[in-house]
C-alpha cells in the first residue's frame, strides 16, 4: 500500500483515508463522499481489528461481506481498497500498543477495557501504511474521534482528522453495522436512543444546562423502554469526555446487541 501512496504523493496528489471494519452502509459511504470531495485519491481500509474487541464481544460474529463492500466502493469511485491480513498487521512477535491517556479512559474506555488502545494502535498503523493527508471518521463514534484527534496531535502524525455527521435511518436510529443483529421488536426499541437525544436537545434549547439534570432526563427516557438496558448516559465535553459540556453520549444493550449514540445538545436534533 505504501508504495502506491508514495507514487501518488510524488505525482502531487492528495490522499484521503477512510478506515472501516467493512459491512458498509450509507454512513460509511458518506465518509467516502466527503473524502472524494476533498482529495485527489481516496483509499478505504477494511479491517476487522481483533485487538479492539474484548474477549466477550462480537469479533467472531461481526458481519463481513467483502464482495458487496468491494462493489459499493468501486461504484463510489474509490481508488484503492486496503484489506490487510490480521497476521500481517499483528505478527506473533509484535508487542507494541498505542495508549492515549485521558480522553480514552471514561465511558466507552471503562465499558470496553483495551478498546481504544486497539483503535489507537490500528489507526497509527493504517496511517503509517497509507500516509494520508486526511482521514475521515464518523461523529457516530464521538469518543473515538476525540481519541484519534489526541493521538494525531500528540504523535505529530501530520494527518488532518475530518469528522462526518452521523447518518441516521428515517426513524432516527444511527446507521451501524451492528444493527443487523437486532430482531424486529429490538429494532423498534432501538429508536429510544434518538428519541432521548431529541428530548435532551429540546431541554437544552429550553435553557437546561445542568449536566446532571440532563443526564437524569436521558436516563429516564432510555429507561422507559423495557427491552433496553442502559450502560451509561452522560453530558460531557466533546474533547475530554469529562463534565461539564454539551455532548450527550449514551450506550445501551438491547438483548445481545450493544448500541451507542450521541448528539451535541447545543445543536437542534435533525435525525
Ligand atoms: P466501523 O466500520 O463501524 O468501524 O466504522 C467506520 C467509520 O464509519 C467510523 O469512523 C465510524 O464512526 C463511521 N460511521 C459508522 N456509522 C456511521 C454513521 N451512521 N454515520 C456516520 N459515520 C458512521
Amino acid at each position: 500500500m505504501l508504495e502506491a501512496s508514495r507514487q501518488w504523493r510524488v505525482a502531487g496528489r492528495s490522499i484521503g483515508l477512510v478506515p472501516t471494519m467493512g459491512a458498509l452502509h450509507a454512513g460509511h459511504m458518506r465518509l467516502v463522499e466527503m473524502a472524494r470531495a476533498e482529495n485527489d485519491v481516496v483509499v478505504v481500509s477494511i479491517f476487522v481489528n481483533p485487538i479492539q474487541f474484548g474477549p466477550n464481544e462480537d469479533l467472531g460474529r461481526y458481519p463481513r461481506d467483502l464482495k458487496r463492500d468491494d462493489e459499493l466502493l468501486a461504484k463510489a469511485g474509490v481508488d484503492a481498497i486496503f484489506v490487510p491480513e490480521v497476521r500481517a498487521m499483528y505478527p506473533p512477535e509484535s508487542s507494541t500498543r498505542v495508549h492515549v491517556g485521558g480522553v480514552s479512559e471514561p465511558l466507552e474506555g471503562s465499558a470496553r477495557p483495551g478498546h481504544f488502545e486497539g483503535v489507537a494502535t490500528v489507526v497509527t498503523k493504517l496511517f503509517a501504511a497509507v500516509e494520508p493527508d486526511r482521514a475521515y471518521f464518523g461523529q457516530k463514534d464521538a469518543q473515538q474521534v476525540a481519541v484519534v484527534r489526541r493521538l494525531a496531535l500528540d504523535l505529530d502524525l501530520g494527518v488532518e482528522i475530518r469528522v462526518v455527521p452521523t447518518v441516521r435511518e428515517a426513524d432516527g436510529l444511527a446507521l451501524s453495522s451492528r444493527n443487523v443483529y437486532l430482531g424486529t421488536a429490538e429494532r423498534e426499541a432501538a429508536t429510544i436512543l434518538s428519541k432521548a437525544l431529541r428530548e435532551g436537545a429540546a431541554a437544552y434549547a429550553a435553557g437546561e444546562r445542568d449536566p446532571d439534570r440532563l443526564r437524569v432526563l436521558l436516563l429516564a427516557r432510555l429507561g422507559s423502554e423495557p427491552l433496553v438496558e442502559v450502560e451509561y448516559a452522560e453530558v460531557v465535553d466533546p474533547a475530554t469526555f469529562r463534565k461539564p459540556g454539551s455532548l450527550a453520549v449514551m450506550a445501551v444493550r438491547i438483548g445481545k446487541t450493544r448500541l451507542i449514540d450521541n448528539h451535541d445538545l447545543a445543536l437542534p436534533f435533525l435525525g
Side-chain angles (χ1 to χ4, degrees):
M1 189 65 240
L2 191 53
E3 210 171 303
S5 273
R6 293 214 164 137
Q7 281 177 11
W8 286 318
R9 171 73 32 75
V10 169
R13 303 177 78 190
S14 62
I15 302 168
L17 170 66
V18 182
T20 81
M21 299 204 297
L24 301 180
H25 53 63
H28 298 112
M29 300 316 286
R30 191 70 62 81
L31 271 65
V32 170
E33 273 168 37
M34 189 158 156
R36 257 275 60 104
E38 296 183 350
N39 301 276
D40 300 317
V41 169
V42 175
V43 179
V44 176
S45 62
I46 298 179
F47 183 62
V48 182
N49 178 32
I51 69 166
Q52 73 183 66
F53 287 77
N56 299 316
E57 294 186 357
D58 57 344
L59 175 62
R61 66 182 185 127
Y62 195 83
R64 292 163 165 89
D65 193 344
L66 198 51
K67 189 169 168 286
R68 182 176 164 275
D69 291 346
D70 271 347
E71 286 166 9
L72 282 172
L73 294 174
K75 266 194 212 137
V78 161
D79 299 274
I81 308 172
F82 179 43
V83 190
E85 297 280 343
V86 172
R87 61 179 178 279
M89 292 293 266
Y90 305 114
E93 65 278 17
S94 73
S95 60
T96 303
R97 294 289 182 267
V98 180
H99 178 77
V100 177
V103 63
S104 75
E105 282 149 22
L107 301 166
E108 283 299 284
S110 73
R112 304 183 68 188
H115 171 66
F116 285 127
E117 211 169 85
V119 168
T121 302
V122 79
V123 166
T124 305
K125 289 176 68 71
L126 292 170
F127 285 6
V130 178
E131 296 186 344
D133 296 279
R134 301 181 190 84
Y136 294 79
F137 294 87
Q139 176 62 26
K140 160 82 183 359
D141 297 280
Q143 198 170 354
Q144 171 170 281
V145 165
V147 168
V148 170
R149 280 196 193 287
R150 192 70 265 151
L151 166 71
L153 283 171
D154 290 352
L155 295 188
D156 310 309
L157 296 181
V159 177
E160 186 185 343
I161 306 304
R162 304 284 288 140
V163 181
V164 179
T166 302
V167 178
R168 297 178 182 279
E169 302 280 6
D171 65 3
L173 179 66
L175 265 56
S176 163
S177 305
R178 291 188 166 100
N179 291 350
V180 300
Y181 299 151
L182 298 169
T184 312
E186 295 176 336
R187 171 64 186 79
E188 178 59 34
T191 59
I192 201 71
L193 287 103
S194 58
K195 285 177 185 148
L197 292 171
R198 182 175 293 115
E199 237 173 74
Y204 194 97
E208 183 60 88
R209 294 291 183 277
D210 184 297
D212 293 320
R213 282 208 295 269
L214 287 165
R215 174 169 180 268
V216 167
L217 183 151
L218 297 172
L219 288 174
R221 193 69 170 114
L222 293 171
S224 72
E225 172 49 66
L227 290 182
V228 167
E229 187 193 322
V230 184
E231 235 176 60
Y232 65 76
E234 292 282 355
V235 183
V236 296
D237 178 279
T240 63
F241 275 69
R242 304 274 178 193
K243 286 189 275 192
S246 63
L247 184 71
V249 291
M250 49 181 60
V252 304
R253 279 179 193 284
I254 305 182
K256 285 196 183 124
T257 307
R258 187 173 184 279
L259 298 177
I260 58 171
D261 203 351
N262 71 87
H263 179 69
D264 184 340
L265 300 183
L267 307 172
F269 188 86
L270 302 173

